[in-house]
Amino acid sequence: MEKQQLQLQHNFKPASTSSEKPPVIIMLHGFGSDENDLFSFAGELPDTYTIISLKAPIPMQPYGNAWYNIYFDNTDGKFSDTKQAIASRDLIVNCIDEIIEKYNIDQDNVTLLGFSQGTILSFAVALSYPEKVKNVIGLSGYINEETLKNGYTEKDFSKLNIYTSHGSVDQVIPVEWARKTKPFLKNLGIDAAYSEFPVGHGVAPQNFQELKEWLAKR
């Protein structure tokens, strides 16, 4: 299949199988990065998946993109632009629908793979619209409740699977924030997998191996 036009710029790797409707992994990069970052290890993921790596809509200077702005000089510390985050959340949801239609994807087998800000948005999409997502792989991020849709606690999360991991010495997003993820999800009836690795704001080789094993079981 050829690359299609979506609302967001993206990288595309087709599934190698002849399945009529393959599953998809949709990658959401972090703050200041772009669609090439996570896509660099697309070849290491199961080739039964179509892989789409989306480019966030907000350009940064001198390079890179963001899903929403973070104002590091805010007097209260890091301040996230919640309105932009919610707009990006819903833009991603629209892109999921486009991907399913234009790439002929199995609508019941959508995996979001995010890093940092992309993980925050992955959680926002999956918890706000769990009917759209089967799996979430959230790397080096956390759940920002302000980005979740009103009434999300009433949603059906019975088909949602979540793997999340964090660096124990992460200097960008404190590991304490990530440690709240598993109990938060448990309160929603979601039995998530959570792991920590002795790294900073990045993905250790053991982490990548573990997420692949987790995905293989899904």
Side-chain angles (χ1 to χ4, degrees), residues 124-138:
V125 169
L127 296 179
S128 300
Y129 303 93
E131 68 278 8
K132 303 279 187 184
V133 181
K134 179 185 177 186
N135 303 314
V136 174
I137 297 173

Side-chain angles (χ1 to χ4, degrees), residues 16-29:
S16 65
T17 62
S18 58
S19 172
E20 192 171 309
K21 287 183 177 290
V24 68
I25 295 173
I26 299 172
M27 297 174 159
L28 306 177
H29 65 76

Side-chain angles (χ1 to χ4, degrees), residues 171-212:
Q171 70 281 20
V172 177
I173 295 177
V175 69
E176 289 77 17
W177 297 8
R179 287 172 180 164
K180 296 177 182 178
T181 302
K182 187 175 174 69
F184 183 95
L185 295 171
K186 187 175 182 180
N187 285 337
L188 296 174
I190 303 169
D191 185 23
Y194 173 75
S195 292
E196 286 180 18
F197 297 87
V199 295
H201 197 59
V203 181
Q206 307 95 307
N207 190 174
F208 187 64
Q209 183 61 35
E210 186 177 84
L211 75 84
K212 287 200 296 181

